Amino acid sequence: MNSNLDSDKQRAGATIRCEAVSRSFSGTGLVLDRISFQVEPGEFVAVLGPSGSGKSSLLRLTAGLDQPDRGQLVIEAASGAPSRGFVFQDATLMPWRTVLRNTTLPLELAGWSRADAVGRASEELRRVRLAEFGARYPHELSGGMKMRTSVARALTTQPNLLLLDEPFAALDEPTRHGLQMQLREIWLALGMTVLFVTHSVTEAVFLADRIIVLSHRPARLLLDHKVSLPESRDAELRTSLDYVNEVRRIAAAMPVSGEAS
Amino acid sequence: MTLRARLASWLPPLLPLIVSLGVAEVAVRLAWVPSYLVPAPSEVMQSLFDDRVELLLAAWATLSSALAGLALSFAAGTFFAIALSSSDLARRAFYPYAVFFQTVPIISIAPLLVIWFGFGQPTVIASAAIVSVFPIIASTLLGLKSTEPALLDLFKLYTASSGQILWMLKIPFALPQIFSGLRIASGLAVVGAIVGEFIGGGGLGSVVDAARTQQRIDRVFAAVLISSLLGVVLVGAVNFISALSLGSWHSSERNSS
C-alpha cells in the first residue's frame, strides 16, 4: 500500500438512516419488509443474507438507483452532499476503454478536465496496485485485476459512502482473500462508510465491524451484530479461535436454505 | 505465412472458380451452350480489356452514387435509430413503417424516383439510399437497445446526462452492431445504385441495359463482374474501418485479426 496515499484519511463517512423501508416488484412481490437500521459515519457494515433475499435491492436503494415503496432511506454527510461509489457484482468495465480511461469515467461525467481526471485516477490505480496496467484493455486483465479497476473507479470521486454488491463472489479463493485484505486496508486508510453485500459468512466476518443478517424473501432484519475482532486483519486471523467463533455465531443466525421466514 | 499455408487458405475458394470457368469455356467452345446465352469466360475477359475505359468510367459513376447513397442512408438511418431508441412510444409508432418500407421492392418505386428527382445521379443516389437504409436502422437500434444494464446503472449513479449516456456509452456499445448493419448496407447500396441506373441512367446499370439490347452478353457479364467487385470493395472498406475501430477491444475483430 502506498504510504503517501495512506495518510489521506480525508473522507468523512456518510450516515445511512434506513427507516422501515419496504420494496416490492411486480412478479416477485414484496422483497424488503420494513427494514430499519442506522450506519454511523466510517462504519464497515456487511449485509448478509441468502441468495435472492433482497440484499442487492437494498443496496440499489442506498445508491439512489431505486426508490422505496414505503419508509425512507436517508444518506447524510457532515461535509455536505454525500457522494457514493458503487462496485457491482461484475466489474462492469467498458471494453473499449483502457483501465485508466475506465477509472477516469466518473470524473469525466462530472466535467473534470482530462488531465485532472487522469491524475486523480492514476492515484487510485496506484492504491489498488494497478499503476502499470493503465494502458491495458479489460480483456487483457484477470478477474481480480478487473475488480480492482472497478474499486479504483469507485474511489476516484472520493466517496464518503462505498457500496459493494458481492464484488468478489466470482473470484477464486486466493484472489478473493487478497482483495478482501486490500479492501480492508483501503477502508482503514480512507475512513469512508462501507456497505458490503455478501452471502458468505466468512467474508462478512473477515471484512466487517458490524453484520446485518437478512431473512429469506421478503427480507426482514434477523440480526444486527457487532464483530469483536481486531481492527487490523490478516491471513492468520482466518485460523484464530475468535474468528471461528464469530463465524459460528453468524452462521447460526443465518436462515437455513429452503426455510420459510 | 508459409507457401503451404497460403495454398491451404486460397485453394478451397479458388478451385471451384477455376473448374467452373474451365467447364464454361469448354461448354461454349464446343457449342454445348449457345454463346448468346452464356459467353465464354475468355470473351468476357476480352470485353473487359476492350471496353476498359468505358467500364471503368461507368464503375466510378456507380461507385460514387453507391457511396453517396450509403452516406445518406448511414446518416439518416443512425439518426432515425437514435430517435427510436430514445422513446418506446416513438419506436412503437414508427418502427413498423420502417419494416414496411423495407418490403417495398425498389424496382417498383424506381420510376417514382425518376418523377421526383429526374434522370441522372440524384435518382441513383436515392435508390441506393432507400435500399441500404433498413439494415442500418435495424442493427443500430438493436445495438442501442442492448446496452448492459449494469453500465447504465453506473452512468445513472454518477448522474450522467442523456447526451453523455448516448455518446459515451450507448453508441460505443452499439458499434459492433452498427458495423454489422453497415456491412450489409454497403453491398445493398451497390445493388440499389445499379437498379437506379437502369431507370435513371448512367453507370454500370446503363452499360448492362445497353449491352442487353445489343445482345452483347459478354459485356453484360463484364459489367456484372465489375459491379460485384464494387460490392466486395465496399464491404472490404467497411471491414477495414471496423477492424480499426474495434480491433483493440471487441472479440469479433480480435479473433479475426
Side-chain angles (χ1 to χ4, degrees):
Chain A
M1 194 64 37
N2 188 313
S3 58
N4 292 334
L5 297 167
D6 281 358
S7 62
D8 60 353
K9 196 164 180 169
Q10 80 287 24
R11 301 167 197 186
T15 305
I16 305 172
R17 279 194 291 115
C18 182
E19 294 167 359
V21 163
S22 295
R23 181 75 173 103
S24 49
F25 297 97
S26 56
T28 49
L30 188 63
V31 172
L32 298 172
D33 188 11
R34 289 161 293 161
I35 302 284
S36 294
F37 62 89
Q38 178 155 336
V39 179
E40 300 304 330
E43 268 194 301
F44 195 130
V45 177
V47 178
L48 195 57
S51 293
S53 61
K55 306 182 295 292
S56 296
S57 302
L58 182 62
L59 205 67
R60 286 176 60 81
L61 291 172
T62 316
L65 291 170
D66 192 15
Q67 296 302 317
D69 298 327
R70 262 176 282 157
Q72 62 171 352
L73 214 159
V74 182
I75 316 290
E76 291 165 332
S79 55
S83 63
R84 302 171 176 93
F86 200 112
V87 181
F88 293 84
Q89 210 160 358
D90 296 316
T92 58
L93 302 177
M94 293 187 284
W96 59 92
R97 283 185 169 229
T98 60
V99 165
L100 180 64
R101 299 237 27 235
N102 264 290
T103 316
T104 57
L105 179 79
L107 304 173
E108 287 176 48
L109 293 175
W112 284 44
S113 72
R114 176 70 68 87
D116 289 347
V118 165
R120 181 83 265 288
S122 304
E123 217 173 292
E124 296 307 338
L125 284 176
R126 268 200 303 281
R127 194 189 297 283
V128 297
R129 299 167 197 151
L130 280 179
E132 317 87 83
F133 296 91
R136 298 276 182 92
Y137 282 90
H139 70 87
E140 298 172 303
L141 304 181
S142 67
M145 289 160 91
K146 283 181 193 168
M147 203 40 86
R148 273 149 67 197
T149 308
S150 188
V151 170
R153 180 179 63 194
L155 294 176
T156 49
T157 53
Q158 300 184 299
N160 36 39
L161 175 58
L162 183 61
L163 305 162
L164 302 102
D165 187 7
E166 302 191 45
F168 310 142
L171 303 175
D172 60 82
E173 195 167 292
T175 309
R176 192 164 60 240
H177 286 178
L179 284 176
Q180 286 167 356
M181 281 198 279
Q182 215 174 342
L183 176 64
R184 180 87 192 171
E185 285 172 26
I186 288 170
W187 170 72
L188 284 173
L190 301 178
M192 78 286 266
T193 305
V194 176
L195 200 60
F196 187 101
V197 158
T198 179
H199 61 253
S200 160
V201 175
T202 52
E203 183 169 64
V205 171
F206 185 82
L207 278 172
D209 291 321
R210 196 175 138 206
I211 297 173
I212 288 170
V213 180
L214 299 182
S215 69
H216 279 294
R217 198 167 61 214
R220 295 193 197 99
L221 202 70
L222 286 183
L223 179 74
D224 189 339
H225 174 77
K226 190 129 181 75
V227 178
S228 305
L229 288 174
E231 191 173 66
S232 174
R233 299 178 190 179
D234 53 21
E236 280 179 26
L237 180 79
R238 295 181 196 278
T239 54
S240 74
L241 197 59
D242 288 346
Y243 175 77
V244 173
N245 284 337
E246 283 287 359
V247 170
R248 274 192 191 146
R249 206 166 293 142
I250 299 297
M254 282 284 282
V256 179
S257 179
E259 172 190 302
S261 52
Chain B
M1 199 185 265
T2 62
L3 184 64
R4 181 182 283 244
R6 272 186 200 168
L7 271 177
S9 138
W10 286 97
L11 215 55
L14 272 182
L15 212 59
L17 179 73
I18 294 166
V19 170
S20 52
L21 285 178
V23 168
E25 188 71 35
V26 171
V28 174
R29 283 186 186 260
L30 295 180
W32 296 343
V33 181
S35 64
Y36 61 85
L37 287 184
V38 178
S42 57
E43 286 169 352
V44 176
M45 294 305 289
Q46 190 64 46
S47 173
L48 276 172
F49 182 76
D50 293 344
D51 306 329
R52 60 188 179 279
V53 176
E54 191 191 347
L55 284 171
L56 274 177
L57 286 174
W60 172 246
T62 302
L63 181 65
S64 55
S65 298
L67 275 175
L70 186 63
L72 206 63
S73 68
F74 180 65
T78 307
F79 176 79
F80 196 58
I82 289 173
L84 293 191
S85 76
S86 59
S87 151
D88 276 347
L89 185 66
R91 195 166 64 256
R92 283 205 301 274
F94 293 109
Y95 193 67
Y97 296 104
V99 176
F100 174 74
F101 190 63
Q102 183 228 1
T103 61
V104 178
I106 186 66
I107 196 75
S108 66
I109 56 166
L112 265 180
L113 297 179
V114 175
I115 294 169
W116 291 336
F117 300 109
F119 285 98
Q121 209 180 19
T123 289
V124 180
I125 291 173
S127 171
I130 289 169
V131 170
S132 60
V133 76
F134 186 75
I136 290 174
I137 295 174
S139 302
T140 307
L141 190 58
L142 176 71
L144 292 173
K145 295 300 289 175
S146 59
T147 312
E148 208 179 299
L151 279 172
L152 273 175
D153 277 346
L154 181 76
F155 273 66
K156 284 179 196 157
L157 184 80
Y158 294 112
T159 56
S161 67
S162 46
Q164 286 174 319
I165 292 176
L166 179 68
W167 288 108
M168 294 169 76
L169 176 62
K170 288 189 167 184
I171 288 181
F173 204 91
L175 271 182
Q177 276 89 1
I178 292 174
F179 276 115
S180 165
L182 201 54
R183 214 166 274 133
I184 300 168
S186 58
L188 287 177
V190 175
V191 174
I194 287 175
V195 171
E197 286 166 349
F198 278 143
I199 312 288
L204 288 171
S206 282
V207 172
V208 170
D209 202 32
R212 178 184 60 83
T213 54
Q214 295 160 5
Q215 300 276 299
R216 287 284 311 276
I217 196 82
D218 54 333
R219 271 189 82 175
V220 172
F221 268 75
V224 168
L225 190 66
I226 292 179
S227 52
S228 305
L229 282 177
L230 288 186
V232 171
V233 166
L234 271 185
V235 173
V238 173
N239 282 344
F240 179 70
I241 299 168
S242 167
L244 279 185
S245 314
L246 309 179
S248 55
W249 63 273
H250 198 260
S251 54
S252 62
E253 294 296 348
R254 276 207 317 277
N255 296 341
S256 64
S257 61

